[in-house]
């Protein structure tokens, strides 16, 4: 039996529902289900408060393990990977990159590129990020989409003539929540009957701030604890996922995948990687980054063209590109058999 050290942000002692944590938990669950390996997991959540314990656990399990998998935000991963470089480990390391800022962080923070060149495999979520890393002479990189596990679920969609918008994810200013609220209020003032429901973790102070902007067509419904079924049954009630993100580390948001699985049309800002995942005029609209007049125009165009149902269907088709078992099949083979990665 092969022994694997899995160093990741699984937040076992905190209720974190961000994309990093969900991805890491899904990956751990997948690894634990492989009967040919034994997984030693070290949770890097809140690492500054438990640094000595983490150092001990990583060293302890390092000597028990054959191979290493790292899945954590850039800074934490850099610290861990630097450690393995400095001890000149001969063990294979696989690095699942979180978000889309790695190449920028390496350049701006002066991180040692040799730390990444020595890794057996780096998995990123975007072709653009792969190209950026290749320009830094980091060539051991492949694209592997963010992923989700899906249990059988019932669609709860009812086409009642009202356009039902939803936001799902961390409820923070950088995700463009306030602009989404303004958009829905503007449409209703123009007699376009629509609603916006907001789901996700939100700090009390910011929740009070955005609630002051709400009207009868806008509401907050708290967090959804993902179980690969409930989130899809809830999201399937809606028409359009509104995602005006300005978040600088955005790559392939897990919430976008959740909305594809649930069969939603998409209206999103043109963050750096958006066009790799959203098909303009096929399953959604992409508006100019931080240009909210353009968001209004693009969304209105989608409504007037009666494109929403068509976009919803296309999103459902695209969801097959993000199913965990399909995406990780080759990685599993490589982990077990040491075969070369094949595109």
């Amino acid at each position: 039996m092969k022994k694997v050290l899995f160093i990741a942000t699984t937040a076992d002692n905190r209720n974190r529902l961000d994309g990093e944590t969900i991805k890491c938990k899904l990956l751990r669950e997948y690894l634990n289900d492989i009967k040919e390996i034994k997984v030693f997991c070290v949770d890097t959540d809140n690492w500054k408060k438990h640094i000595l314990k983490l150092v001990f656990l990583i060293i302890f399990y390092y000597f028990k393990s054959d191979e290493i998998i790292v899945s954590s935000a850039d800074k934490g991963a850099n610290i861990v990977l630097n450690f393995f470089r400095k001890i000149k480990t001969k063990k294979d390391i696989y690095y699942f990159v979180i978000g889309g800022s790695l190449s920028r962080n390496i350049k701006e923070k002066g991180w040692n590129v040799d730390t990444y060149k020595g890794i057996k495999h780096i998995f990123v979520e975007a072709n653009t990020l792969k190209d950026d890393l290749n320009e830094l002479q980091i060539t051991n990189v492949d694209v592997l989409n963010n992923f989700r596990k899906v249990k059988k679920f019932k669609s709860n969609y009812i086409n009642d003539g009202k356009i039902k918008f939803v936001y799902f994810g961390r409820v923070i200013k950088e995700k463009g929540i306030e602009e989404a609220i303004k958009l829905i209020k503007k449409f209703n003032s123009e007699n376009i009957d629509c609603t916006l429901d907001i789901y996700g973790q939100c700090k009390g102070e910011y929740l009070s701030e955005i609630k002051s902007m709400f009207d009868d067509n806008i509401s907050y419904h708290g967090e959804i604890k993902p179980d690969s079924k409930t989130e899809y049954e809830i999201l399937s009630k809606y028409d359009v996922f509104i995602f005006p993100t300005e978040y600088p580390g955005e790559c392939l948001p897990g919430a976008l995948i959740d909305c594809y699985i649930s069969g939603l049309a998409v209206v999103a800002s043109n963050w750096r990687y958006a066009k790799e995942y959203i098909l303009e005029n096929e399953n959604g609209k992409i508006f100019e980054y931080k240009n909210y007049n353009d968001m209004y125009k693009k969304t209105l165009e989608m409504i007037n063209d009666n494109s929403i149902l068509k976009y919803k269907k296309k999103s459902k088709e695209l969801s097959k590109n993000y199913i965990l078992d399909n995406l990780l099949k080759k990685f599993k083979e490589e982990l077990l058999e040491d075969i070369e990665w094949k595109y």
Side-chain angles (χ1 to χ4, degrees):
M1 179 176 287
K2 183 172 286 188
K3 298 179 178 64
V4 176
L5 170 56
F6 182 56
I7 303 170
T9 305
T10 52
D12 295 325
N13 297 313
R14 288 200 296 170
N15 180 32
R16 279 183 57 176
L17 299 175
D18 56 276
E20 175 185 0
T21 307
I22 291 171
K23 179 176 181 177
C24 291
K25 283 185 172 181
L26 284 171
L27 182 54
R28 179 178 63 180
E29 181 182 346
Y30 179 82
L31 293 169
N32 281 331
D33 285 342
I34 301 174
K35 64 180 184 298
E36 295 90 349
I37 68 172
K38 179 176 179 60
V39 181
F40 302 114
C41 182
V42 176
D43 179 9
T44 58
D45 176 49
N46 214 9
W47 62 271
K48 290 182 181 179
K49 287 190 176 182
H50 311 286
I51 186 67
L52 293 178
K53 178 182 178 182
L54 285 177
V55 169
F56 170 79
L57 289 174
I58 288 172
I59 294 172
F60 179 77
Y61 287 123
Y62 171 79
F63 287 107
K64 289 177 170 287
S65 302
D66 303 303
E67 299 187 353
I68 302 161
I69 299 171
V70 177
S71 180
S72 186
D74 294 348
K75 183 177 180 181
N78 178 260
I79 294 170
V80 171
L81 295 171
N82 257 322
F83 167 74
F84 290 130
R85 176 179 61 84
K86 289 177 179 178
I87 67 171
K88 299 180 180 179
T89 183
K90 301 298 182 184
K91 298 181 181 183
D92 289 336
I93 301 175
Y94 302 89
Y95 174 28
F96 286 77
V97 176
I98 304 294
S101 301
L102 180 59
S103 60
R104 184 175 72 244
N105 281 331
I106 291 172
K107 287 184 282 189
E108 293 181 356
K109 299 179 181 180
W111 290 349
N112 192 331
V113 295
D114 290 338
T115 297
Y116 301 92
K117 289 181 178 179
I119 297 171
K120 181 169 184 180
H121 243 126
I122 299 174
F123 299 111
V124 298
E125 298 171 353
N127 286 289
T128 305
L129 181 53
K130 176 184 175 181
D131 293 342
D132 290 344
L133 291 170
N134 288 168
E135 288 180 7
L136 296 171
Q137 307 306 310
I138 301 171
T139 58
N140 50 338
V141 184
D142 284 295
V143 177
L144 196 158
N145 284 336
N146 199 351
F147 40 73
R148 286 292 186 264
K149 182 177 181 179
V150 183
K151 299 174 184 176
K152 187 175 181 180
F153 70 94
K154 177 186 175 184
S155 174
N156 291 305
Y157 182 66
I158 298 173
N159 188 359
D160 58 6
K162 182 176 290 190
I163 304 169
K164 297 178 284 292
F165 288 82
V166 65
Y167 171 83
F168 174 53
R170 282 191 298 158
V171 183
I172 56 176
K173 186 178 181 66
E174 294 86 347
K175 296 286 187 172
I177 302 295
E178 294 167 40
E179 300 301 331
I181 292 169
K182 292 174 188 176
L183 178 70
I184 300 311
K185 293 175 78 170
K186 182 174 176 62
F187 279 148
N188 278 297
S189 72
E190 297 172 348
N191 296 315
I192 298 173
D193 193 7
C194 58
T195 60
L196 171 63
D197 285 354
I198 299 169
Y199 296 87
Q201 289 186 319
C202 185
K203 293 183 178 179
E205 184 178 339
Y206 187 60
L207 182 58
S208 296
E209 185 178 334
I210 62 171
K211 276 189 172 181
S212 68
M213 302 172 64
F214 288 6
D215 60 22
D216 291 342
N217 298 300
I218 301 167
S219 55
Y220 172 70
H221 294 267
E223 62 187 47
I224 302 174
K225 292 192 176 181
D227 60 10
S228 302
K229 178 182 178 181
T230 302
E231 60 266 45
Y232 308 132
E233 292 183 335
I234 293 172
L235 292 171
S236 67
K237 296 187 295 183
Y238 297 95
D239 292 292
V240 182
F241 174 46
I242 182 77
F243 192 59
T245 183
E246 299 178 4
Y247 184 67
E250 208 78 73
C251 193
L252 173 48
L256 182 69
I257 302 172
D258 292 326
C259 290
Y260 281 8
I261 293 167
S262 305
L264 304 188
V266 178
V267 173
S269 64
N270 189 20
W271 81 91
R272 188 161 189 235
Y273 307 104
K275 291 184 178 178
E276 293 199 32
Y277 317 118
I278 302 168
L279 303 183
E280 181 103 49
N281 298 321
E282 291 189 47
N283 79 306
K285 293 287 187 181
I286 302 174
F287 63 88
E288 185 180 333
Y289 192 65
K290 295 187 180 182
N291 183 340
Y292 296 105
N293 286 327
D294 192 45
M295 176 174 72
Y296 167 77
K297 292 175 184 177
K298 293 286 179 64
T299 309
L300 183 61
E301 182 181 283
M302 179 182 69
I303 294 169
N304 288 338
D305 288 347
N306 294 314
S307 301
I308 292 176
L309 291 178
K310 180 183 75 173
Y311 289 176
K312 284 168 61 66
K313 182 178 179 181
K314 185 63 177 180
S315 286
K316 191 71 174 177
E317 291 174 8
L318 291 173
S319 68
K320 67 179 182 296
N321 297 326
Y322 306 101
I323 303 304
L324 181 147
D325 287 333
N326 299 337
L327 288 172
L328 294 180
K329 182 178 179 182
K330 290 181 181 179
F331 166 69
K332 177 182 176 181
E333 292 172 355
E334 184 176 8
L335 187 65
L336 294 178
E337 302 175 23
D338 298 319
I339 62 171
E340 290 186 8
W341 183 265
K342 298 179 181 178
Y343 297 94

